Amino acid sequence: MEKISPIGVFDSGYGGLSILKEIVQVLPGYDYLYLGDNARTPYGTRSFDIVYHYTSEAVRRLFALGCPLVILACNTASAKALRTIQQTDLPRIDVKKRVLGVIRPSVEALASYSRNRHVGILATRGTVASESYSLEIAKLYGSGEFYITQKACPMWVPLVENNELAGAGAEYFVKKYIDELFQSDPLIDTVVLGCTHYPLLRELIHRYVPQGVNVIEQGHIVADSLKDYLNRHTDMEAALSKQQTIRYLTTEQPDLFASMAGMFMGKKVEAEHTSI
Ligand code: DGL
């Protein structure tokens, strides 16, 4: 088989597929290699050191498989591992490789959604504790410019990973966290789904978020931001192969991954097992 140089897309499990789907729609010409660390999911409840260690291993695996560029399609990994990987790992591994995250593009998009600058961030415990959104928002817009309320939603990733997207259990936990967010700040006019798993719960989320409030999903934002990145970084663009393939790797059972991923991508998918 001819050697390809795909764009690597990484997540702790299935959530990153919500990003991959949008990226492929915006940039259909490239090759993609998705890696889900389903054997070690969830990341959202784990320590900084563990998330960094797992993410770094996954990124190295994707580099070894030929990816010149890896997207961390996971807020928890972007919050806890991206900076260390960019500053410490990349200079040691290969200065030409690149790793990008999902938080910065989401924060850049915020200004065009929120009118009153009261923003709610729904995310994993890890992302919330890292304060990455507040820090990035302060860096980009100045501190005190946005009124940020964060809410950790620890039950949502297990619901998605177990395909419990619509039952009474999902309904209870979606309503609970959204109610708690709006109790903390009833003025919120924009909610960021700051975990790539959450768009799978969008139907229920829209049912309980008050009318008129924007709900931001990251897929199209990350896809547009990647398109812009490749327009500006022509060396990276030239290094990527363009045979329009998508390959799926999981650290858990490939059959289970394939059936879940097929549902998320809206087409039949084949998956392979990999160790990292
Ligand atoms: N999808 C990941 C995120 O965006 C988190 C899932 C997990 O907890 O592993 O934060």
Side-chain angles (χ1 to χ4, degrees):
M1 207 164 76
E2 202 184 318
K3 199 176 159 298
I4 60 169
S5 313
I7 298 174
V9 179
F10 169 71
D11 181 46
S12 61
Y14 301 114
L17 294 165
S18 68
I19 303 284
L20 175 70
K21 192 174 179 185
E22 299 286 337
I23 294 179
V24 173
Q25 228 156 55
V26 172
L27 297 164
Y30 298 92
D31 293 299
Y32 294 94
L33 181 52
Y34 185 89
L35 171 55
D37 192 7
N38 299 79
R40 302 192 289 195
T41 199
Y43 281 16
T45 46
R46 298 187 194 277
S47 68
F48 181 97
D49 283 351
I50 293 288
V51 172
Y52 163 64
H53 178 70
Y54 287 178
T55 307
S56 175
E57 282 183 342
V59 165
R60 283 164 200 265
R61 182 84 186 110
L62 287 166
F63 285 165
L65 290 166
C67 300
L69 171 66
V70 173
I71 311 297
L72 300 185
C74 173
N75 288 265
T76 311
S78 300
K80 294 188 159 190
L82 178 62
R83 189 166 300 245
T84 315
I85 289 175
Q86 285 175 334
Q87 291 176 355
T88 312
D89 293 15
L90 288 185
R92 286 194 207 138
I93 302 171
D94 184 341
V95 290
K96 289 209 183 105
K97 306 261 191 204
R98 287 288 173 269
V99 181
L100 305 173
V102 290
I103 293 178
R104 176 77 189 196
S106 311
V107 166
E108 283 170 359
L110 259 190
S112 56
Y113 286 93
S114 179
R115 296 169 302 275
N116 67 6
R117 302 214 155 187
H118 282 249
V119 169
I121 310 287
L122 298 171
T124 64
R125 279 199 180 118
T127 300
V128 167
S130 75
E131 295 284 347
S132 294
Y133 272 93
S134 306
L135 294 169
E136 209 58 55
I137 288 168
K139 221 191 285 173
L140 193 64
Y141 302 102
S143 56
E145 286 299 310
F146 277 81
Y147 190 83
I148 309 294
T149 305
Q150 301 195 92
K151 176 77 203 151
C153 310
M155 291 303 292
W156 287 9
V157 169
L159 286 169
V160 172
E161 289 286 316
N162 291 289
N163 197 16
E164 288 285 345
L165 306 177
E171 197 153 332
Y172 174 83
F173 282 109
V174 168
K175 181 174 180 338
K176 174 180 162 62
Y177 296 144
I178 289 177
D179 285 353
E180 287 169 6
L181 178 74
F182 283 90
Q183 270 154 25
S184 301
D185 179 7
L187 293 181
I188 289 170
D189 77 348
T190 301
V191 172
V192 179
L193 302 187
C195 170
T196 56
H197 281 64
Y198 297 174
L200 276 302
L201 293 166
R202 69 167 69 80
E203 239 171 76
L204 285 181
I205 292 171
H206 281 278
R207 191 177 305 164
Y208 293 110
V209 162
Q211 261 199 340
V213 170
N214 298 309
V215 177
I216 303 186
E217 296 187 15
Q218 299 173 301
H220 65 282
I221 293 170
V222 174
D224 289 346
S225 160
L226 178 58
K227 185 176 178 185
D228 179 53
Y229 176 87
L230 293 177
N231 281 337
R232 287 183 289 111
H233 295 82
T234 47
D235 283 1
M236 177 57 78
E237 202 285 328
L240 297 168
S241 57
K242 298 162 186 81
Q243 296 175 29
Q244 306 189 6
T245 63
I246 310 179
R247 191 175 159 208
Y248 299 88
L249 302 177
T250 173
T251 54
E252 249 292 343
Q253 305 165 59
D255 289 351
L256 180 59
F257 185 92
S259 70
M260 292 286 282
M263 203 178 68
F264 290 9
M265 299 299 285
K267 63 177 183 192
K268 196 170 160 10
V269 155
E270 284 183 19
E272 303 156 56
H273 178 266
T274 188
S275 314
I276 50 178

